[in-house]
Amino acid sequence: MAPPLLPRPRIDFFARSKELRCLRDLHAEVVGESGRGRAALVTGPAGVGKSQLLAELKRKLREAGHPVIEGRCRAADHRPHGTLVDLLGAIATLLSDLGRPSPYTQRALTLISGLEQPTEARDGSMAALELFETARHSLLEAGRGQA
């Protein structure tokens, strides 16, 4: 008989305060006066604390009342634009929970699912442009959707 599994203890966050400060400063720029979007790439060998760093950042942002929307790239995900679908779904859920309208998010989900065609008959590149422009507006809806 196998011994009972014990609950996994919470590991305190340590040794990444410089990286956490850098990510929080980046976030402050986005919500500050510049209002410009930013991206950060967190990379490194397995086991160096990337997941722990991001978990701590998300925890601190949520504690401060900022929405956190996640998407993941998975090698086994063969859906076209799978990560974008996940992000749009998370935005739709966030805005619904806040009781906020989300016309761009709903439109982007409709376009990406193929349930509806672009506004006008367009070639593939113009249809893709409409999808991505609508998704961009969806991200802006999420940014304005803070409580």
Side-chain angles (χ1 to χ4, degrees):
M1 180 172 190
L5 295 176
L6 298 174
R8 194 168 160 181
R10 183 181 183 280
I11 300 170
D12 288 329
F13 184 73
F14 64 97
R16 291 285 176 249
S17 56
K18 178 181 173 188
E19 291 86 351
L20 181 61
R21 186 173 48 256
C22 179
L23 291 170
R24 292 190 72 187
D25 289 348
L26 195 64
H27 176 261
E29 284 182 35
V30 171
V31 298
E33 289 183 24
S34 81
R36 294 183 48 179
R38 299 285 191 268
L41 176 64
V42 178
T43 185
V48 297
K50 299 178 300 291
S51 296
Q52 181 88 18
L53 172 64
L54 293 175
E56 184 68 8
L57 176 66
K58 290 185 294 189
R59 186 184 69 74
K60 290 193 174 292
L61 291 175
R62 285 181 175 129
E63 280 179 357
H66 298 286
V68 175
I69 301 165
E70 295 183 70
R72 296 186 186 274
C73 297
R74 297 176 187 86
D77 186 354
H78 300 292
R79 300 173 299 164
H81 310 298
T83 302
L84 184 57
V85 171
D86 293 346
L87 286 171
L88 291 168
I91 292 170
T93 299
L94 168 73
L95 294 175
S96 175
D97 289 350
L98 292 172
R100 304 282 171 87
S102 58
Y104 285 106
T105 304
Q106 297 304 321
R107 175 78 176 139
L109 283 167
T110 301
L111 287 171
I112 206 165
S113 68
L115 293 175
E116 192 175 309
Q117 296 303 312
T119 322
E120 301 172 14
R122 299 179 175 190
D123 65 24
S125 62
M126 290 304 289
L129 180 62
E130 181 179 351
L131 168 63
F132 293 124
E133 184 64 11
T134 306
R136 183 181 74 84
H137 282 283
S138 173
L139 291 169
L140 294 171
E141 282 179 338
R144 288 188 298 268
Q146 296 180 31

